[in-house]
Amino acid sequence: MKASGLSIKPTVLKLGGSVITHKDKPLTANLTAIRRLAEEIAEAKIPQLIVVHGGGSFGHTMAKEYAIKEGFRGEASQLLGFTKTHQAMITLNNLVLEALIQHNISAMAIAPSSFIVSKSGRIATMRYEPLKRLLDMGAVPLLYGDAILDFDKGFTILSGDQLVASLAVHFGAKRIVVGIDEDGLFTADPKEHGRPDLIRKCTLRRLRKLRRQIKGTNACDVTGGMQGKIAELMPAIEEGIPTLIVNGTISRRIYKALKGEKVTGTLIQKNEGAKRHH
Ligand code: IPE
């Protein structure tokens, strides 16, 4: 389903959980990073922007503990874990929201679990109307990877990346910017193999070939690490939406990526000669 009816093509920004939280410390936000990113987003002044953030040491820790992604086993203790996972995401979301509002960004948080239901882990129904109206007004919808209800599994985890791709396709996004804790995509894990070459530009065809080689970087990630991230972003790239993966832990990279300025990162485009959407 497309035809967003928006006059301007929105930009969809994903702030990875590894950027806005301390990955190895359960339930610990990286407030310095959150505030810096809010400042960069404010300065970029993107006319239509959707921000989605990940779970990091909030969502993933909790989701793993209660095996939320695998679905509801009918146990009261797991159901409590489902609500706790959502609550952990709200706590993190509120920190991001506060930082954005402090920088005079009209951000409006909407819980994905309140308007999306999945089927076997894939988004099945979504109400776009509130988002469209917010975008039309110039507000910034703020969403996140969430514990959501599922027609088959009872509940599951919706990754921020699946949400990003789905929104970008629906609203015909100009570009997707994904902030992670690496400079972009490498054919080997830079955390294990020193500094392999960064893939600066990549077509869909090359990406498909590379996918098996791309190493996951998250030890505690219920949504599949880097490979899962790429797989989730694929539908948007296939639609021709340029997708830029940059290091969100380094100052100014997200700003430059949002502005369409030259920046260190991996730009994934459908085809070689794809036009630059600036
Ligand atoms: C995960 O979202 C959300 C939960 C675990 C509830 P993501 O999969 O998008 O999070 P990050 O960016 O990898 O941390």
Side-chain angles (χ1 to χ4, degrees), residues 5-166:
L6 291 169
S7 51
I8 309 170
K9 286 178 160 197
T11 297
V12 183
L13 170 65
K14 162 87 193 284
L15 300 175
S18 58
V19 177
I20 59 167
T21 73
H22 292 288
K23 264 196 314 191
D24 308 324
K25 294 184 206 150
L27 304 172
T28 313
N30 185 342
L31 280 176
T32 312
I34 291 174
R35 289 181 188 135
R36 173 181 51 78
L37 290 165
E39 196 180 318
E40 290 185 31
I41 295 166
E43 216 182 301
K45 288 197 181 64
I46 300 299
Q48 285 199 335
L49 179 68
I50 302 173
V51 179
V52 177
H53 69 77
S57 67
F58 282 72
H60 287 292
T61 314
M62 211 58 101
K64 198 171 185 179
E65 185 179 341
Y66 294 97
I68 302 304
K69 192 177 192 319
E70 289 68 31
F72 187 35
R73 293 189 304 255
E75 295 158 14
S77 61
Q78 198 204 11
L79 185 59
L80 186 62
F82 170 69
T83 64
K84 280 184 176 175
T85 306
H86 175 64
Q87 169 67 14
M89 288 310 299
I90 288 183
T91 304
L92 177 60
N93 178 249
N94 208 41
L95 297 172
V96 178
L97 180 64
E98 269 170 21
L100 292 174
I101 288 181
Q102 226 153 50
H103 285 84
N104 297 320
I105 298 165
S106 309
M108 174 94 176
I110 306 179
S113 50
S114 70
F115 71 101
I116 299 170
V117 180
S118 62
K119 191 166 166 50
S120 291
R122 312 305 307 167
I123 292 173
T125 65
M126 159 137 59
R127 257 186 79 76
Y128 293 99
E129 201 55 33
L131 300 182
K132 181 180 176 298
R133 285 175 182 272
L134 286 172
L135 286 169
D136 268 336
M137 282 177 190
V140 175
L142 175 64
L143 313 168
Y144 43 93
D146 198 4
I148 67 164
L149 295 160
D150 187 285
F151 288 118
D152 296 330
K153 300 163 89 164
F155 52 60
T156 192
I157 295 294
L158 169 68
S159 78
D161 301 302
Q162 186 185 155
L163 186 52
V164 161
S166 170

Side-chain angles (χ1 to χ4, degrees), residues 18 23-24 180-182 184-186 188-192 214-221 224-229:
S18 58
K23 264 196 314 191
D24 308 324
I180 60 170
D181 64 345
E182 291 291 349
L185 299 183
F186 297 87
D189 186 348
K191 290 201 172 73
E192 285 170 19
I214 292 167
K215 299 286 184 297
T217 52
N218 281 333
C220 179
D221 186 335
M226 190 54 82
Q227 284 208 21
K229 197 174 280 296

